[in-house]
Amino acid sequence: MAAKPTIAVFKFASCDGCQLSLLSLEDELLLIADCFDVAYFPEARSRQVAGPYDVGLVEGSISTAEDIDRIQEVRRQCRTLVTIGACATAGGIQALRNWADHAEFQRYVYAEPAFVDSLATSTPVAAHVKVDYELRGCPIDKGQLLTFLSAMLRGATPRPATYSVCVECKRRSLVCLAVSRGVPCLGPVTQAGCGALCPSFGRGCFGCFGPHPTANVVPLLDQYQAGEASGEELLPLVRGYTGYASAFREAGDAIDPERADHE
């Protein structure tokens, strides 16, 4: 009988929500355990098997010098490297530091900032190593994760959605909030995957799955500003969970050029 493919789950700077999405698969998690050898997953078990691994799932952004060295070692140990969640794919909410004074943040938050060893930026994993696939969201959608792992088992090429959240709104017969109520919504430029969760509760999309491949964010925000939305209202919308993704970063910097990020 052929050996099961090995899977490892790694955490960097994050809240653990994406790992918990994996654990919350519940009944399906037992099927995953039947199909994969879960070799390394400190969040879920004490057993740790040394690599190499067939599949590595990485949660979290790169926020310290140690992280840079560690993610390079993780890349060497994993045949297929998959980033999961907004932190790993776009820098996460902690990337707000990228537009601020990092030292000032440390002084304000920590009683002894001298003991804090962090970089001035929070960056996605792909900024440091080659990433084979991305699963987005804050947190990831557990159904998407299950579909992805199933494709890996079949030897198929996983194909996450590349269309916008607007498609998911239409599928759910939701009335467009931007059109009907004038609510600024990033749905037209955000990659699908959440099932239009926020619009289904009357709240505009705030882009936690990041921009879709052909997103044109600046003209969308110009349209909102031509209505009643101000730049102060729109800036937190694009500088949120995936604000450091290039299309959202460009749009935020257009609104706030004085604090534009300089890579």
Side-chain angles (χ1 to χ4, degrees):
M1 181 177 180
K4 298 178 184 177
T6 52
I7 188 169
V9 184
F10 303 92
K11 170 186 164 57
F12 287 80
S14 64
C15 71
D16 289 25
C18 292
Q19 294 180 84
L20 292 175
S21 293
L22 173 56
L23 293 175
S24 68
L25 283 169
E26 298 174 346
D27 291 344
E28 291 88 351
L29 187 61
L30 299 177
L31 295 174
I32 291 173
D34 283 340
C35 297
F36 287 94
D37 178 8
V38 183
Y40 182 87
F41 193 178
E43 180 88 2
R45 63 189 308 178
S46 58
R47 171 180 175 263
Q48 297 180 12
V49 178
Y53 310 105
D54 293 307
V55 180
L57 303 178
V58 179
E59 176 191 72
S61 66
I62 306 304
S63 296
T64 69
E66 182 183 1
D67 285 346
I68 295 175
D69 294 335
R70 182 169 167 245
I71 192 58
Q72 291 171 349
E73 178 59 26
V74 168
R75 173 68 271 188
R76 286 190 288 268
Q77 290 291 318
C78 298
R79 295 184 178 89
T80 299
L81 189 68
V82 185
T83 48
I84 59 173
C87 296
T89 61
I93 196 71
Q94 57 268 33
L96 287 171
R97 77 174 78 166
N98 300 358
W99 294 279
D101 185 330
H102 178 244
E104 182 181 0
F105 269 13
Q106 288 183 320
R107 289 193 299 270
Y108 185 83
V109 175
Y110 298 100
E112 297 288 346
F115 295 107
V116 179
D117 181 19
S118 62
L119 298 171
T121 57
S122 173
T123 49
V125 170
H128 303 275
V129 297
K130 178 181 181 293
V131 170
D132 299 302
Y133 300 101
E134 290 184 346
L135 292 178
R136 301 186 187 180
C138 189
I140 56 172
D141 177 77
K142 60 184 182 181
Q144 271 199 329
L145 177 59
L146 186 62
T147 300
F148 179 88
L149 293 176
S150 297
M152 294 291 293
L153 283 172
R154 299 193 310 272
T157 300
R159 299 187 184 279
T162 56
Y163 47 83
S164 75
V165 172
C166 290
V167 174
E168 295 183 312
C169 279
K170 293 298 183 183
R171 287 174 175 170
R172 297 187 62 172
S173 300
L174 299 177
V175 175
C176 179
L177 296 170
V179 173
S180 66
R181 291 170 40 190
V183 174
C185 176
L186 291 181
V189 293
T190 296
Q191 182 167 301
C194 64
L197 180 61
C198 291
S200 72
F201 286 95
R203 203 275 189 210
C205 169
F206 51 86
C208 69
F209 271 68
H212 65 70
T214 58
N216 200 357
V217 187
V218 173
L220 178 67
L221 299 191
D222 288 344
Q223 184 67 29
Y224 290 148
Q225 286 185 288
E228 298 182 356
S230 66
E232 290 183 357
E233 180 182 0
L234 295 173
L235 188 60
L237 192 62
V238 288
R239 283 191 183 163
Y241 295 93
T242 58
Y244 205 59
S246 58
F248 287 168
R249 185 166 75 241
E250 175 189 349
D253 290 350
I255 295 174
D256 184 25
E258 292 186 3
R259 290 196 299 168
D261 172 72
H262 301 288
E263 294 186 278

